Amino acid sequence: MPEPSGAEGGLSAQARAVLALERRNWSGPGAKERAIREDLGLAPVRYYQLLNALLDDERALAHDPVTVNRLRRVRAARRAER
């Protein structure tokens, strides 16, 4: 989980950047992974680990409820398919 910074409801700048990246629309295959590497300096695997942890963090929900709730629904649907 990203370290809290005390700003924006306790979310770190990295956590806010992860949520902001999830709000964007992607033009084609590979664009999101490229942005993860270039904009955040993270490997995609690490990015998705951070994102998954954020979905369970109430501070993330308070910061960006639309994005977090959408991603929670997607996650729940994928788990139900298994």
Side-chain angles (χ1 to χ4, degrees):
M1 169 61 80
E3 290 294 318
S5 67
E8 285 292 321
L11 287 179
S12 69
Q14 184 180 47
R16 291 190 310 272
V18 167
L19 291 172
L21 199 117
E22 279 302 311
R23 283 191 301 268
R24 292 171 49 184
N25 291 321
W26 302 103
S27 59
K32 183 175 183 179
E33 285 71 20
R34 194 168 34 257
I36 290 168
R37 291 181 190 283
E38 293 174 1
D39 297 351
L40 301 179
L42 295 171
V45 169
R46 181 64 182 143
Y47 170 85
Y48 287 110
Q49 290 171 339
L50 292 171
L51 178 61
N52 196 47
L54 281 171
L55 297 184
D56 296 324
D57 189 332
E58 293 303 313
R59 296 171 299 174
L61 180 63
H63 174 74
D64 191 347
V66 172
T67 301
V68 171
N69 282 324
R70 176 180 56 83
L71 293 170
R72 283 179 175 179
R73 285 190 304 272
V74 169
R75 181 175 70 177
R78 287 187 180 149
R79 285 181 177 169
E81 289 176 1
R82 293 182 193 162

